Amino acid sequence: MHFFKAAILAGTVAMIAAGSALAADIKIGFVVKQPEEPWFQDEWKFAEVAAKEKGFQLVKIGAEDGEKVQSAIDNLGAQGAQGFIICTPDVKLGPGIVAKSAANNLKLMTVDDRLVGADGKPLEAVPHMGISATKIGEAVGQAIVDEVKKRGWDPKTVGAIRVSYDQLPTAVDRVEGAISVLEKNGFPKANIFDAPQAKTDTEAALNAATTVLNKHADIKNWVAFGLNDEAALGAVRATESVGIAPENVVAVGIGGAESAINEFKKPKPTGFVGTVIISPKRHGYETAINMYEWVANNKEPEKLILTAGQLALRSDYAEVRKQLGIE
Ligand code: FCA
């Protein structure tokens, strides 16, 4: 009797040991295009939570250009990783990334920015988690319209800055979503000015928006939007630098990470009135878990998951974050 109990116990211990040895052998990469951006820091943070929970190793790599992406993939292969998740600096690298992953025997998933082929169409075979870009853009547009009404501005006289990054499809969908709502609400097409940014960060957006403001110095009231909080914040910084008061500026971002929170915490309100909060937990934790399941249990991830957003204003962001379980 005792012998059997001991044998069963020993077997169980051995099985647990084997199970955890397997998880510890699993190495998953998480490659992001802009490691300094709070959104990507948060994605990494939540991917770490998944790694701790499942017991696998997470390898975080920042890759700001195509060359760094290539070496990141080779590096992961050389380390014996089995798969990785990437937000690429350039979606046109798609076919190259797919080929390099296969050569290194790595499973591949994308997050945020979806790879495209030579024809510009999404590489649908690569599992992807992105945001519902058009819908979220519409929420940005609606928030702007509501604030403009509240301030009693005539939309016909308002200038709109479209901080753009048109080589990235999700960025186009986001700003076009916003514009569709503005136009439905009486904003004239002719007053929507394109401000193309060279990179998706605040400084690039500031430079792009400044050019627009200088060209249209006769316009008093401005609204601004772009693909993320950094884009909207860059436009706000531009209005400040040319001496436009916050009372004359309505900008709404997308993200809701540290960049937005720090802005809301400023004692005096700026032109950055709100953000559509998206979920770094889903994009970081869930993609990492899905990759783990793929590697460990051969469970293929869904091909396309699009996550939702939730508007938060300066006045209620803490409450909204609490409701979303992120505070
Ligand atoms: C893109 C943007 C990021 C973030 C993400 C969901 O990658 O550059 O700022 O908005 O989509």
Side-chain angles (χ1 to χ4, degrees), residues 311-325:
L311 177 70
L313 302 173
R314 189 178 203 269
S315 52
D316 68 4
Y317 79 94
E319 189 53 38
V320 175
R321 279 171 62 82
K322 218 183 269 160
Q323 278 166 16
L324 293 172

PDB file of all heavy atoms in Angstrom, residues 311-325:
ATOM      1  N   LEU A 311     -13.159  55.442 -24.996  1.00  0.00           N
ATOM      2  CA  LEU A 311     -12.783  56.861 -24.845  1.00  0.00           C
ATOM      3  C   LEU A 311     -12.616  57.250 -23.379  1.00  0.00           C
ATOM      4  O   LEU A 311     -13.408  56.863 -22.523  1.00  0.00           O
ATOM      5  CB  LEU A 311     -13.851  57.759 -25.483  1.00  0.00           C
ATOM      6  CG  LEU A 311     -13.606  59.262 -25.321  1.00  0.00           C
ATOM      7  CD1 LEU A 311     -12.427  59.723 -26.162  1.00  0.00           C
ATOM      8  CD2 LEU A 311     -14.857  60.064 -25.660  1.00  0.00           C
ATOM      9  N   ALA A 312     -11.569  58.001 -23.107  1.00  0.00           N
ATOM     10  CA  ALA A 312     -11.375  58.568 -21.770  1.00  0.00           C
ATOM     11  C   ALA A 312     -11.014  60.035 -21.933  1.00  0.00           C
ATOM     12  O   ALA A 312     -10.225  60.401 -22.808  1.00  0.00           O
ATOM     13  CB  ALA A 312     -10.259  57.840 -21.041  1.00  0.00           C
ATOM     14  N   LEU A 313     -11.613  60.877 -21.108  1.00  0.00           N
ATOM     15  CA  LEU A 313     -11.320  62.305 -21.153  1.00  0.00           C
ATOM     16  C   LEU A 313     -10.453  62.677 -19.960  1.00  0.00           C
ATOM     17  O   LEU A 313     -10.314  61.893 -19.014  1.00  0.00           O
ATOM     18  CB  LEU A 313     -12.634  63.104 -21.109  1.00  0.00           C
ATOM     19  CG  LEU A 313     -13.617  62.791 -22.233  1.00  0.00           C
ATOM     20  CD1 LEU A 313     -14.940  63.496 -22.003  1.00  0.00           C
ATOM     21  CD2 LEU A 313     -13.026  63.185 -23.592  1.00  0.00           C
ATOM     22  N   ARG A 314      -9.893  63.870 -20.026  1.00  0.00           N
ATOM     23  CA  ARG A 314      -9.083  64.348 -18.914  1.00  0.00           C
ATOM     24  C   ARG A 314      -9.850  64.223 -17.600  1.00  0.00           C
ATOM     25  O   ARG A 314      -9.292  63.880 -16.564  1.00  0.00           O
ATOM     26  CB  ARG A 314      -8.713  65.818 -19.173  1.00  0.00           C
ATOM     27  CG  ARG A 314      -7.703  66.380 -18.225  1.00  0.00           C
ATOM     28  CD  ARG A 314      -7.384  67.819 -18.595  1.00  0.00           C
ATOM     29  NE  ARG A 314      -6.087  68.208 -18.071  1.00  0.00           N
ATOM     30  CZ  ARG A 314      -5.903  68.763 -16.884  1.00  0.00           C
ATOM     31  NH1 ARG A 314      -6.934  69.010 -16.095  1.00  0.00           N
ATOM     32  NH2 ARG A 314      -4.701  69.073 -16.476  1.00  0.00           N
ATOM     33  N   SER A 315     -11.171  64.497 -17.686  1.00  0.00           N
ATOM     34  CA  SER A 315     -11.992  64.530 -16.476  1.00  0.00           C
ATOM     35  C   SER A 315     -12.314  63.145 -15.917  1.00  0.00           C
ATOM     36  O   SER A 315     -12.595  63.010 -14.733  1.00  0.00           O
ATOM     37  CB  SER A 315     -13.295  65.262 -16.782  1.00  0.00           C
ATOM     38  OG  SER A 315     -13.895  64.697 -17.933  1.00  0.00           O
ATOM     39  N   ASP A 316     -12.292  62.113 -16.763  1.00  0.00           N
ATOM     40  CA  ASP A 316     -12.759  60.813 -16.250  1.00  0.00           C
ATOM     41  C   ASP A 316     -11.787  59.657 -16.516  1.00  0.00           C
ATOM     42  O   ASP A 316     -12.130  58.497 -16.330  1.00  0.00           O
ATOM     43  CB  ASP A 316     -14.141  60.481 -16.841  1.00  0.00           C
ATOM     44  CG  ASP A 316     -14.100  60.212 -18.344  1.00  0.00           C
ATOM     45  OD1 ASP A 316     -12.995  60.199 -18.929  1.00  0.00           O
ATOM     46  OD2 ASP A 316     -15.174  60.007 -18.938  1.00  0.00           O
ATOM     47  N   TYR A 317     -10.557  59.984 -16.919  1.00  0.00           N
ATOM     48  CA  TYR A 317      -9.658  58.898 -17.340  1.00  0.00           C
ATOM     49  C   TYR A 317      -9.346  57.905 -16.212  1.00  0.00           C
ATOM     50  O   TYR A 317      -9.260  56.704 -16.446  1.00  0.00           O
ATOM     51  CB  TYR A 317      -8.365  59.467 -17.949  1.00  0.00           C
ATOM     52  CG  TYR A 317      -7.336  59.941 -16.957  1.00  0.00           C
ATOM     53  CD1 TYR A 317      -6.313  59.091 -16.545  1.00  0.00           C
ATOM     54  CD2 TYR A 317      -7.399  61.216 -16.411  1.00  0.00           C
ATOM     55  CE1 TYR A 317      -5.374  59.528 -15.611  1.00  0.00           C
ATOM     56  CE2 TYR A 317      -6.472  61.652 -15.487  1.00  0.00           C
ATOM     57  CZ  TYR A 317      -5.462  60.809 -15.082  1.00  0.00           C
ATOM     58  OH  TYR A 317      -4.562  61.224 -14.163  1.00  0.00           O
ATOM     59  N   ALA A 318      -9.226  58.418 -14.981  1.00  0.00           N
ATOM     60  CA  ALA A 318      -8.879  57.527 -13.864  1.00  0.00           C
ATOM     61  C   ALA A 318     -10.014  56.528 -13.654  1.00  0.00           C
ATOM     62  O   ALA A 318      -9.772  55.315 -13.469  1.00  0.00           O
ATOM     63  CB  ALA A 318      -8.632  58.333 -12.602  1.00  0.00           C
ATOM     64  N   GLU A 319     -11.240  57.045 -13.721  1.00  0.00           N
ATOM     65  CA  GLU A 319     -12.428  56.211 -13.557  1.00  0.00           C
ATOM     66  C   GLU A 319     -12.509  55.153 -14.675  1.00  0.00           C
ATOM     67  O   GLU A 319     -12.748  53.974 -14.422  1.00  0.00           O
ATOM     68  CB  GLU A 319     -13.660  57.137 -13.589  1.00  0.00           C
ATOM     69  CG  GLU A 319     -14.960  56.505 -13.223  1.00  0.00           C
ATOM     70  CD  GLU A 319     -14.912  55.777 -11.887  1.00  0.00           C
ATOM     71  OE1 GLU A 319     -14.243  56.269 -10.929  1.00  0.00           O
ATOM     72  OE2 GLU A 319     -15.514  54.707 -11.825  1.00  0.00           O
ATOM     73  N   VAL A 320     -12.290  55.597 -15.928  1.00  0.00           N
ATOM     74  CA  VAL A 320     -12.376  54.675 -17.070  1.00  0.00           C
ATOM     75  C   VAL A 320     -11.308  53.586 -16.945  1.00  0.00           C
ATOM     76  O   VAL A 320     -11.572  52.406 -17.180  1.00  0.00           O
ATOM     77  CB  VAL A 320     -12.223  55.431 -18.411  1.00  0.00           C
ATOM     78  CG1 VAL A 320     -12.191  54.463 -19.583  1.00  0.00           C
ATOM     79  CG2 VAL A 320     -13.355  56.432 -18.603  1.00  0.00           C
ATOM     80  N   ARG A 321     -10.109  53.981 -16.520  1.00  0.00           N
ATOM     81  CA  ARG A 321      -9.044  52.990 -16.344  1.00  0.00           C
ATOM     82  C   ARG A 321      -9.427  51.957 -15.290  1.00  0.00           C
ATOM     83  O   ARG A 321      -9.184  50.768 -15.456  1.00  0.00           O
ATOM     84  CB  ARG A 321      -7.734  53.680 -15.962  1.00  0.00           C
ATOM     85  CG  ARG A 321      -6.991  54.257 -17.163  1.00  0.00           C
ATOM     86  CD  ARG A 321      -5.819  55.113 -16.747  1.00  0.00           C
ATOM     87  NE  ARG A 321      -4.804  54.378 -15.996  1.00  0.00           N
ATOM     88  CZ  ARG A 321      -3.847  53.629 -16.535  1.00  0.00           C
ATOM     89  NH1 ARG A 321      -3.757  53.517 -17.841  1.00  0.00           N
ATOM     90  NH2 ARG A 321      -2.976  52.991 -15.780  1.00  0.00           N
ATOM     91  N   LYS A 322     -10.050  52.433 -14.238  1.00  0.00           N
ATOM     92  CA  LYS A 322     -10.480  51.529 -13.171  1.00  0.00           C
ATOM     93  C   LYS A 322     -11.501  50.532 -13.731  1.00  0.00           C
ATOM     94  O   LYS A 322     -11.400  49.335 -13.517  1.00  0.00           O
ATOM     95  CB  LYS A 322     -11.084  52.349 -12.024  1.00  0.00           C
ATOM     96  CG  LYS A 322     -10.719  51.771 -10.657  1.00  0.00           C
ATOM     97  CD  LYS A 322     -11.369  52.534  -9.522  1.00  0.00           C
ATOM     98  CE  LYS A 322     -10.505  53.674  -8.987  1.00  0.00           C
ATOM     99  NZ  LYS A 322     -11.300  54.679  -8.246  1.00  0.00           N
ATOM    100  N   GLN A 323     -12.467  51.073 -14.479  1.00  0.00           N
ATOM    101  CA  GLN A 323     -13.502  50.207 -15.058  1.00  0.00           C
ATOM    102  C   GLN A 323     -12.903  49.164 -15.986  1.00  0.00           C
ATOM    103  O   GLN A 323     -13.395  48.047 -16.085  1.00  0.00           O
ATOM    104  CB  GLN A 323     -14.510  51.052 -15.846  1.00  0.00           C
ATOM    105  CG  GLN A 323     -15.572  51.699 -14.978  1.00  0.00           C
ATOM    106  CD  GLN A 323     -16.327  52.787 -15.753  1.00  0.00           C
ATOM    107  OE1 GLN A 323     -16.264  52.848 -16.975  1.00  0.00           O
ATOM    108  NE2 GLN A 323     -17.019  53.642 -15.020  1.00  0.00           N
ATOM    109  N   LEU A 324     -11.836  49.545 -16.677  1.00  0.00           N
ATOM    110  CA  LEU A 324     -11.201  48.611 -17.612  1.00  0.00           C
ATOM    111  C   LEU A 324     -10.236  47.663 -16.890  1.00  0.00           C
ATOM    112  O   LEU A 324      -9.627  46.804 -17.508  1.00  0.00           O
ATOM    113  CB  LEU A 324     -10.436  49.381 -18.698  1.00  0.00           C
ATOM    114  CG  LEU A 324     -11.275  50.211 -19.670  1.00  0.00           C
ATOM    115  CD1 LEU A 324     -10.385  51.062 -20.564  1.00  0.00           C
ATOM    116  CD2 LEU A 324     -12.168  49.313 -20.529  1.00  0.00           C
ATOM    117  N   GLY A 325     -10.091  47.876 -15.590  1.00  0.00           N
ATOM    118  CA  GLY A 325      -9.210  47.007 -14.799  1.00  0.00           C
ATOM    119  C   GLY A 325      -7.742  47.275 -15.036  1.00  0.00           C
ATOM    120  O   GLY A 325      -6.906  46.382 -14.898  1.00  0.00           O
TER     121      GLY A 325
END
